[in-house]
Amino acid sequence: MEVLVGQNKQRERDFLVASISQLPISNNFSPPGVARFRSDAGVSELQFSQVSGPNDSTHFDLRTAQLFKLSPFQSACISEASEMNKENSRGITIQFRNEEDSRAFHCAFDQWKKEAVFQGSHLPNGTVSTSKSKFDDKTEASSANMYFHYYGQLLHQQNMLQDYVRTGTYYAAVIENRADFAGRVVVDVGAGSGILSLFAAQAGAKHVYAVEASEMAEHARKLIAGNPLLSQRITVIKGKVEEIELPEKADVLISEPMGTLLVNERMLESYIISRDRFLNANGKMFPTVGRMHMAPFSDEYLYTEIANKALFWQQQNYYGVNLTPLHDTAFQGYFSQPVVDAFDPRLLVAPAMSHTIDFTSTKEEELYEIDIPLKFVASVGSRVHGLACWFDVLFNGSTIQRWLTTAPGAPTTHWYQMRCVLPQPIYVMPGQEITGQLHMISHKAQSYTLYLTLSAKNWGPGTEQGGILQTSSGKLDLKEPYYRMSQLPAYPLVQDQQPHQLLQTQDIQIQSQDEDGSDLMQ
C-alpha cells in the first residue's frame, strides 16, 4: 500500500511480514508485524511494529540503513550509529510469509533508499546529497580537486570573459532570443562567475539557478549581488549538478561545457545529466548541438619542431652519461601531446568532415567512448602529418540561430584549434583517398585517450597490384596538450580573400559526415 497524504507530501508503503525480532536473534516466538516505509517533510524512514501487542515501534533512517538477505524468507535490517545522537548500531530480523514478499520488500527498500540519499542536507539554495555522486565515481579525486581549484580563481574566469568571441556570442544568443527566456526558469550549469545567469536575467528570466561547484560560487554571489536589478531573480547554488536538488524544473538550460576538441574536461556529461534531472520536456538547451570538425594537414615546420625535441636524448656523452636508451620513449612522448594553437587553414590538405553531438538527445554513456570513421579526398599532393581538429556549437533559439566556431581562419578564441601529429607522415597525391579512424576513450582524469590512424594507398610504377597501403598511427592524451600559442598566429584573411575552400561554411543544416552519411538533424 502506498498513499499520499495532504499538502505535506507524506508517503507511506506497508508490508505485512510473518514476524519481526530484535537482533541478536532469540528463540522466542515473535508475532506478525508491519514494515512501513514512510516519507514526511523530506525525511524518509523505515518503521517496524507488531500487528498486536505494544504500540512501540523501531525506526530506521533510510540514509544509513542496510538490508541483508539471510535466506529466501529471512532478512536483516541494520542501522549504523547516528552522528546526530551517537546511538549504537542496531538491527531487526524480518521473517517474510513467502519469497515473493521478500523480493517485493527488497525492491521497495532499494527504491526508497535511493530517494533518501538524494534528499541529503537541506541548504537555503537547494539540497545536497550525502551520498557519493556519479561525478565522484568516474573522476579521480586529484583531478577533480585541481579542476575546481583552477576554475575557482578569478584570473582564469577573466581569461574566459575576455574571450569576446565566446562571451559576445553567448550574449547575442540569449538577448536575441528573449522569447526563450522571458518568464522562464533557467538553470546555469557550471555558472562560474555567473555571467550567463546575468545574461539570462537581462533577457527576462523568471528565475535563474546558478549551479557552481568551485569556490567561484562565492565570487558569483558577490558579483550578482552587485547588480541589484537582476540579483532578486538569481539564486547561486554551490554544488555539483549530479548532487544538488532544485525546487522546480527548468524551462531552459544554459552552460559553457566545451573544452578542447569539444569534449575535454568531460563537462558535457554534466550538461547531459542536468538535462535529464532538471529540464522540462521540450525545454531549450543553450547550446543545442556541438560538432567536431576534422581534416588532414601538412606542416613540415611543426613536425620538425616536435621531432627535434627528442634530439636531446640522442647524446651519448652527456656529462659522461649515454642518454640514447630513452630516445625512443621521449620521441613517442612528444608525439603523444595534441598541439593546441592557431594555424593557417591553408595547411589543410582535404575538405573537413564532422561528427555531430546533439545535446538534446545524446545519452551520457555515449560520451564515454566516441568512435569516428575518417574518410577524406586529398585536394593537393603533400606529406600528411596528422589530423587537425576544431569544433563549433549551435544556439538553436526560437528567434535567431547562432553559431560559435573555433575554426582556423575565424576570429581566435581561447580554445584555439588542436592538431594530432603522427610520428610517421604519409604521402598523398591530389584526388587520393585518405581513410582512418579517431577512437576516443574517456578516462578518470576528466579527459580522453585518443587513438588515431590514417591510411592512404600509393600507386604508380613499381607498386604491387592494388597499391601499397601506407598507415600511420598514434596514441595521444587529450589531458596533456602542447600549448603552442607563443608561435606565430594564424594568417589573417585579407579583405578581398575568400574563406579557404577546404573549410565548410557554418550553415543551419547540421549533418554528420561520418561513413553512413546520415543526417542527424535538420
Side-chain angles (χ1 to χ4, degrees), residues 6-36:
Q7 297 299 318
N8 293 326
K9 296 186 178 179
Q10 177 181 329
R11 292 190 300 141
E12 294 182 358
R13 186 173 182 182
D14 292 352
F15 285 85
L16 183 63
V17 296
S19 67
I20 299 172
S21 58
Q22 297 279 348
L23 284 175
I25 302 173
S26 66
N27 294 324
N28 296 332
F29 171 76
S30 299
V34 174
R36 173 172 295 163

Side-chain angles (χ1 to χ4, degrees), residues 198 400 429:
L198 290 163
I400 298 291
M429 298 297 291

Side-chain angles (χ1 to χ4, degrees), residues 1 54 184 283 354:
M1 176 184 71
R184 308 296 175 86
S354 64

Side-chain angles (χ1 to χ4, degrees), residues 254-269:
I254 190 168
S255 182
E256 196 266 74
M258 300 88 72
T260 305
L261 193 55
L262 184 62
V263 295
N264 187 40
E265 296 179 341
R266 299 184 65 182
M267 191 182 164
L268 278 180
E269 295 166 35

Side-chain angles (χ1 to χ4, degrees), residues 187-433:
V187 173
D188 182 358
V189 180
S193 64
I195 190 69
L196 301 185
S197 297
L198 290 163
F199 289 171
Q202 288 179 22
K206 174 185 175 183
H207 200 85
V208 183
Y209 296 97
V211 184
E212 173 56 42
S214 77
E215 294 303 316
M216 187 53 56
E218 299 304 322
H219 296 301
R221 288 193 178 103
K222 186 181 295 186
L223 179 64
I224 290 167
N227 291 267
L229 295 179
L230 305 173
S231 62
Q232 297 303 312
R233 290 181 284 122
I234 303 175
T235 300
V236 177
I237 301 174
K238 186 180 180 184
K240 303 183 186 77
V241 293
E242 293 85 353
E243 300 174 7
I244 59 102
E245 293 290 340
L246 297 176
E248 56 187 328
K249 288 285 189 177
D251 304 301
V252 181
L253 288 187
I254 190 168
S255 182
E256 196 266 74
M258 300 88 72
T260 305
L261 193 55
L262 184 62
V263 295
N264 187 40
E265 296 179 341
R266 299 184 65 182
M267 191 182 164
L268 278 180
E269 295 166 35
S270 296
Y271 190 38
I272 299 303
I273 290 172
S274 301
R275 177 200 70 194
D276 295 339
R277 296 194 65 209
F278 304 131
L279 189 62
N280 281 321
N282 302 318
K284 284 280 188 180
M285 296 181 73
F286 282 66
T288 318
V289 169
R291 299 188 301 187
M292 289 186 281
H293 300 271
M294 294 141 285
F297 74 93
S298 179
D299 191 339
E300 295 286 353
Y301 183 87
L302 174 62
Y303 179 82
T304 303
E305 176 189 332
I306 295 175
N308 283 349
K309 290 182 178 182
L311 291 178
F312 171 84
W313 298 96
Q314 286 188 335
Q315 299 181 79
Q316 298 181 9
N317 187 12
Y318 181 76
Y319 294 98
V321 176
N322 180 12
L323 300 182
T324 57
L326 294 180
H327 172 264
D328 289 348
T329 303
F331 185 86
Q332 294 298 327
Y334 287 122
F335 280 94
S336 72
Q337 291 185 282
V339 177
V340 176
D341 67 351
F343 64 84
D344 182 355
R346 288 173 290 186
L347 296 175
L348 303 178
V349 301
M353 60 164 286
S354 64
H355 175 78
T356 302
I357 301 175
D358 186 344
F359 304 143
T360 65
S361 59
T362 296
K363 296 179 180 178
E364 178 209 352
E365 293 78 12
E366 294 173 354
L367 299 176
Y368 292 175
E369 189 169 344
I370 302 171
D371 193 24
I372 307 174
L374 304 174
K375 189 174 182 179
F376 309 97
V377 177
S379 301
V380 295
S382 179
R383 289 214 308 173
V384 173
H385 294 103
L387 191 70
C389 307
W390 61 95
F391 71 87
D392 54 25
V393 293
L394 170 67
F395 300 90
N396 193 19
S398 300
T399 307
I400 298 291
Q401 293 177 316
R402 280 273 181 179
W403 285 98
L404 170 58
T405 182
T406 65
T412 304
T413 69
H414 77 285
W415 290 285
Y416 296 89
Q417 293 95 42
M418 191 195 82
R419 286 183 284 176
C420 300
V421 186
L422 292 170
Q424 179 60 52
I426 61 175
Y427 296 82
V428 298
M429 298 297 291
Q432 190 170 359
E433 186 176 82

Side-chain angles (χ1 to χ4, degrees), residues 86-132:
K86 305 299 182 183
E87 65 184 5
N88 295 324
S89 299
R90 53 199 172 88
I92 288 283
T93 59
I94 314 155
Q95 187 72 31
F96 297 97
R97 296 176 299 176
N98 52 57
E99 194 170 350
E100 183 178 349
D101 282 0
S102 174
R103 286 196 300 267
F105 182 84
H106 276 261
C107 182
F109 182 90
D110 291 340
Q111 181 180 351
W112 280 72
K113 182 175 178 63
K114 182 178 179 180
E115 294 177 4
V117 296
F118 277 105
Q119 289 170 356
S121 305
H122 291 278
L123 298 175
N125 290 324
T127 311
V128 178
S129 167
T130 58
S131 68
K132 187 175 182 180

